[in-house]
């Protein structure tokens, strides 16, 4: 890893060159580099935490002056319980994942002695733009090295000292490995993001790690593909055959376990046939957890009739905007629909196509819902919070994508890979194949992998 | 299929709605629609060819006035030998391909009664922008319906009459099927391309079918992902251990069988050790086929020494620009390099990352070349012209992509698919999993497919 003050175009060009070399390294060389980085960071804990403390001091001052939110200050702190250890463990976890490079995913005998292979390979150069969390460097550097990609990292200025300290340690560690130093570059020059986002001749994929605003800004500012999601506007449809206790449990989990997460539920769609018996216990469970319910007229009337007066008094009226708002807080918009078709149409029109769920005991209806809802995650009788790379068993999570191409939903290492086609021949040429005189047909025999 | 004069946003919104319905249709319904379209087009041959003849008359006039190239006029002609039959056969060929929708590509038991599935599904709405060839409508409509995608088609004005005629027939044919009419829309209003390219809320993928200029313009004008390639600057590296006859055969095929194709070779890189014995027979074979060779000083000197004087006299000097030019003609740039590493570096810097090949009898070197060259196709001892979806056995070709994400190289139906994650649970929630008290671990058992 090099800490560069180079111009963005020079850094990106160097990263591209490094990516070509990195793509030819065997798994052992990439894994060894991760082992070496892990050891170097372990040995440098004190100096890195000292640098991090300097960032924290400045950030706390900025927060006192009202220039920075306390949540950013909190995310800066590498000394927080378990954070340093998690960062180090993450490097070895990524190292120990299956090698994603060089997997043959298609093999076809085109003709005798003419063999086609589709082989996974790194994408090339990743640009990672992140905000305050310093541990992202170690995480992203691990993912990049493991997957054979070069990476350019641009972090938020609040964690500059931490970044520089981590970067120096990783850089000198890489000197002893086969991974070139320029494969991972930390760009510290200011105001370089717009320039980096214009370098589509060198950079193949942008991965933003931070707030919705950051992701939205980046998506609007570049032609380079962006892996990520700006919004997580998830809905749950409550159908009248749902089990009431299960419904309450799922809604409480989806809304309250981490309200600021992108996979938390923001809209509850209730079938009208579920208003009288099913919605009240669900609403009570949510209200008990401190959730504000913003109800349409029909659901508010039903709840007012069913709930004790002092409970019903805290219900709120929904406005149209509430159904397209990612509250990221203990607030839930409630809307009554007449059928699963209306629920599907509402979700396909209003949701952010991240994760949406149905709670029902009607299996064919659940299958129809999952086929028709156009979202990365479509769940039946479970919480939207399950949408997560670690929960899916991917071993890591590069991000969650709402893109419709390449990678969708929680993205593991596979999302950092593309493929190439290799043909090994013996002088075969295209003019030999066809239906004309002296020509022959391809064999096109699929070979088992 | 509807022939629409609607505003682009209305057409795109209608296509999005249709895509949600189309995504739930079984394969039989999609295949039946293709059978019906095929029959309707077969029955309407005369009226469609009459419309096509009107387009041709206008185009020929334009060509006479110097406003249109004769190659465009030629591409317009649906009455050309075999073209109509190929168009119709193509519909049935696509119909008979394996269904790409609903393939389970990952299955994990997260816990007892909690099952994760990754399932292929259509991308959504495709925007196809094409130039003169009227048969593209039938081809693209088939690919879209087969893959469960909606499509908006915008064709060149030269084939308007043909498009309208084909579109009317397909539209009334679809009335009798389960595929909604708005799933395939032909937009005929003028000057709509810039508007369509801005509709990223509705359109998920743009597929340009036409000249390099068209593709380059579209890539520069939209944030919607574009599937395709603007350039095909392919190189072949001739290493000194190559068999001379094989090398000549491969070069002649790669350069002369279809010089205007994107997979034709434009640059010959010659190892200096191959200049004396290997390059001369290869050059002679190319010159015999009428290929102009633009040589660097070293290769020109070597060839001048080896070839008869009257042959050497027609050699040309290369300029730097020749190594980044897609000639699309019987012209080949020749450059001397000292090693495979220099060849790889030249290709990674100058080629369009489409298809590049090595001719050698050194297997480890060939493997290294294929690993290190960052192109969609990396071939050993075969012609770059093999880069083709039909030759790869895909049964169809949506296009050839030089993108680094999603689909690369010749793209079959798979390139029109993405996936979603389904979870079927029984009230499982995220808070039950973890290392805390009362929590448990996920099982994450991979289930065989």
């Amino acid at each position: 890893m090099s800490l560069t003050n180079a111009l963005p175009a020079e850094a990106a060009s160097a990263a591209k060159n490094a990516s070509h070399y990195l793509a030819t390294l065997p798994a052992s060389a990439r894994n060894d580099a991760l082992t070496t980085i892990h050891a170097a960071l372990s040995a440098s804990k004190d100096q890195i935490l000292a640098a991090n403390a300097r960032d924290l001091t400045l950030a706390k001052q900025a927060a006192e002056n009202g220039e920075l939110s306390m949540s950013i200050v909190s995310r800066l702190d590498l000394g927080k319980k378990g954070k340093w250890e998690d960062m180090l463990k993450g490097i070895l976890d990524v190292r120990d994942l299956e090698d994603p490079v060089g997997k043959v995913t298609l093999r076809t005998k085109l003709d005798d002695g003419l063999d086609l292979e589709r082989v996974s390979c790194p994408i090339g150069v990743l640009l990672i733009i992140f905000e305050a969390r310093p541990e992202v460097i170690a995480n992203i550097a691990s993912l990049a090295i493991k997957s054979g990609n070069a990476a350019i990292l641009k972090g938020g200025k609040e964690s500059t000292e931490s970044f520089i300290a981590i970067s120096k340690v990783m850089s000198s560690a890489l000197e002893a490995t086969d991974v070139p130093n320029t494969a991972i570059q930390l760009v510290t020059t200011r105001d370089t993001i717009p320039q980096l986002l214009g370098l589509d001749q060198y950079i193949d994929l942008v991965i933003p790690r931070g707030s919705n605003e950051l992701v939205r800004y980046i998506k609007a500012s570049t032609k380079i593909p962006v892996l990520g999601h700006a919004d997580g506007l998830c809905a749950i449809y409550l159908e009248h055959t749902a089990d009431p206790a299960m419904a309450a449990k799922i809604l409480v989990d989806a809304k309250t376990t981490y309200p600021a997460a992108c996979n938390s539920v923001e809209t509850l769609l209730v079938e009208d046939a579920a208003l009288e018996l099913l919605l009240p216990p669900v609403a009570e469970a949510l209200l008990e957890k401190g959730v504000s319910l913003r109800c349409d007229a029909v659901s508010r009337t039903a709840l007012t009739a069913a709930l004790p007066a002092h409970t019903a008094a805290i219900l709120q009226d929904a406005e149209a905007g509430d159904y397209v708002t990612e509250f990221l807080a203990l607030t839930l918009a409630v809307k009554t629909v007449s059928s699963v078709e209306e629920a599907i149409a509402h979700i396909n029109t209003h949701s952010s196509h991240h994760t949406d769920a149905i709670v029902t005991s009607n299996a064919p209806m659940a299958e129809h819902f999952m086929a028709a809802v156009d979202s990365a995650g479509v769940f039946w009788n479970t919480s939207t919070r399950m949408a997560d790379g670690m929960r899916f068993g991917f071993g890591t999570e590069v991000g969650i994508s709402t893109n419709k191409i390449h990678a969708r939903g929680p993205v593991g290492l596979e999302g950092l890979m593309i493929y190439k086609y290799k043909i090994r021949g013996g002088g075969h040429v295209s003019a030999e194949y066809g239906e004309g005189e002296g020509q022959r047909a391809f064999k096109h025999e699929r070979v088992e992998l």
Side-chain angles (χ1 to χ4, degrees), chain A residues 78-295:
Chain A
L78 264 184
K80 235 193 324 202
K81 188 176 171 248
K83 207 164 185 181
W84 176 262
E85 291 70 24
D86 284 352
M87 179 181 99
L88 287 185
K89 181 171 178 296
I91 299 171
L92 300 186
D93 286 348
V94 168
R95 180 197 63 186
D96 296 339
L97 292 172
E98 195 185 344
D99 184 24
V101 181
K103 285 190 178 175
V104 178
T105 55
L106 179 82
R107 193 170 271 149
T108 306
K109 178 177 168 174
L110 302 180
D111 195 0
D112 293 325
L114 186 69
D115 298 296
L116 173 73
E117 232 179 49
R118 185 172 65 198
V119 189
S120 70
C121 61
I123 288 178
V125 178
L126 316 175
L127 169 62
I128 324 288
I129 300 176
F130 51 110
E131 292 178 320
R133 302 169 187 270
E135 73 275 20
V136 168
I137 292 197
N139 173 237
I140 287 289
S142 308
L143 291 169
I145 292 171
K146 179 74 186 183
S147 62
N149 286 287
I152 298 171
L153 295 90
K154 178 75 182 85
K157 66 177 189 311
E158 295 77 14
S159 35
T160 301
E161 293 274 337
S162 317
F163 289 157
I164 291 176
I166 295 175
S167 168
K168 279 186 179 160
V169 171
M170 291 176 67
S171 183
S172 72
L174 282 182
E175 288 296 336
T177 76
D178 289 338
V179 172
N181 230 298
T182 47
I184 311 285
Q185 296 190 57
L186 184 70
V187 176
T188 55
T189 38
R190 284 167 175 260
D191 307 325
T192 51
I193 293 181
Q195 292 173 67
L196 287 166
L197 293 176
L199 295 169
D200 59 336
Q201 69 271 46
Y202 299 123
I203 298 170
D204 300 299
L205 186 66
V206 185
I207 306 179
R209 285 278 191 103
S211 65
N212 299 3
E213 288 66 37
L214 177 76
V215 180
R216 219 172 282 129
Y217 159 73
I218 288 169
K219 288 204 169 194
S221 312
T222 186
K223 290 199 175 308
I224 307 170
V226 178
L227 188 80
H229 65 282
D231 301 290
L233 193 73
C234 304
I236 295 181
Y237 174 51
L238 188 57
E239 197 261 351
H240 78 277
T241 64
D243 174 77
M246 184 196 289
K249 183 180 164 201
I250 288 172
L251 262 297
V252 166
D253 188 85
K255 182 73 251 182
T256 71
T257 48
Y258 189 0
C262 60
N263 55 12
S264 291
V265 68
E266 305 290 4
T267 304
L268 172 61
L269 299 169
V270 195
E271 192 193 5
D272 49 16
L275 285 171
E276 211 179 313
L277 296 175
L278 202 49
L279 181 61
V282 171
E284 269 195 298
L286 288 164
L287 292 166
E288 213 164 85
K289 291 283 184 178
V291 177
S292 299
L293 298 178
R294 301 208 178 158
C295 305

